[in-house]
Amino acid sequence: KAAKHSTSEFDDDPGESRPNTPTRNAADDAEDRGDGIDAAGGVREPGLDTRGDGAWPAAQLGDRAVNLNLPLFNQDLEPDNVPESVLAMHRQIDSADAVLFSVAEYNYSLSSVLKNAIDWASRTYLPGKKNHPLLGKPCALVGAGGGMGTSRAQYHLRQVLVFLDMHPLNKPEVFVQRWGAPAGGERFNKDGDLTDDATRDKLGTMLAAFEQWIRVFQTDDDDATECVDNE
């Protein structure tokens, strides 16, 4: 049986670009991924998949939540006045084997909520740790949005991940068109439920590939990678 993996999820969508999938098929094959962390960091009401009754990746990660509604990053608060909400996020990421980014797109890029959380997470705050908690972790990206399915935001995020020395899963990429599909090609119903079998299958394929990707990087050596501080 596959080993259990703990996965932190940066889920920054404010509630309109993430689908809920009430039926399951290929995505069920990744159910051994273990307890996960749903980090819902939007500034509006929770998105559809936070109800937890679907097969979109956030719903499969379990009911543990990380609050990414954090204060704006302020290096002047270091080292003695770092907000407790930031430290809590660090602890949850540190305990996970991997990170799943649910990416919203605003103005052709990732949201300010997600970028702010990454800026906080890229620092080294936890006692006894030489590196920030994102360093060296495998990760994957998914997103559902407009005509290009958050692809531009995901590619911008991949540039950020280079500096963080994270290891994103390259394929399969998941860019789900949430709005603007031609008549008869809609992937979601009026309630936001994912109704397209091909998209569900693709999500299942991605999650299975992500599980294998996590195995490649599993290590108990916390000193395996040197930390590069922010500039």
Side-chain angles (χ1 to χ4, degrees):
K1 189 172 181 179
K4 298 284 187 177
H5 302 295
S6 177
T7 306
S8 293
E9 175 162 0
F10 280 85
D11 193 348
D12 69 298
D13 194 303
E16 293 186 357
S17 10
R18 292 173 295 154
N20 176 56
T21 52
T23 59
R24 302 175 65 188
N25 48 27
D28 294 333
D29 295 337
E31 65 182 2
D32 286 333
R33 201 160 288 100
D35 294 335
I37 301 172
D38 179 14
V43 294
R44 297 165 63 184
E45 290 300 311
L48 294 171
D49 64 350
T50 58
R51 296 187 305 217
D53 57 353
W56 188 253
Q60 292 190 38
L61 288 175
D63 58 2
R64 290 187 298 158
V66 176
N67 179 15
L68 298 187
N69 288 304
L70 307 171
L72 289 177
F73 177 70
N74 183 356
Q75 196 168 341
D76 289 342
L77 297 178
E78 299 174 353
D80 298 325
N81 297 303
V82 176
E84 175 54 36
S85 57
V86 172
L87 297 177
M89 178 183 67
H90 270 242
R91 289 190 288 267
Q92 293 216 350
I93 297 171
D94 185 66
S95 68
D97 294 323
V99 176
L100 175 63
F101 292 94
S102 285
V103 184
E105 182 171 307
Y106 292 89
N107 303 312
Y108 284 15
S109 190
L110 63 156
S111 74
S112 56
V113 173
L114 178 57
K115 183 58 167 62
N116 183 60
I118 290 174
D119 290 345
W120 277 118
S122 68
R123 308 296 291 175
T124 304
Y125 298 138
L126 297 181
K129 297 292 182 178
K130 298 179 181 179
N131 302 319
H132 64 73
L134 295 173
L135 191 76
K137 287 189 184 293
C139 60
L141 290 69
V142 298
M148 297 185 69
T150 75
S151 59
R152 291 164 296 208
Q154 290 192 40
Y155 287 140
H156 278 192
L157 177 56
R158 285 178 180 271
Q159 294 176 6
V160 176
L161 300 180
V162 170
F163 180 79
L164 297 174
D165 284 327
M166 298 191 74
H167 303 290
L169 176 71
N170 288 330
K171 293 179 181 178
E173 297 175 306
V174 178
F175 308 132
V176 182
Q177 189 173 5
R178 179 74 162 85
W179 306 285
E186 295 84 1
R187 294 177 174 84
F188 305 90
N189 63 21
K190 60 182 178 61
D191 297 319
D193 299 323
L194 181 61
T195 57
D196 182 64
D197 288 339
T199 301
R200 283 199 295 267
D201 288 342
K202 189 168 187 177
L203 287 170
T205 300
M206 186 278 290
L207 291 173
F210 188 30
E211 182 172 8
Q212 295 302 313
W213 189 238
I214 293 171
R215 293 176 183 274
V216 173
F217 294 95
Q218 283 185 324
T219 176
D220 295 326
D221 185 2
D222 188 53
D223 300 322
T225 310
E226 293 298 326
C227 178
V228 179
D229 199 3
N230 284 343
E231 296 179 356

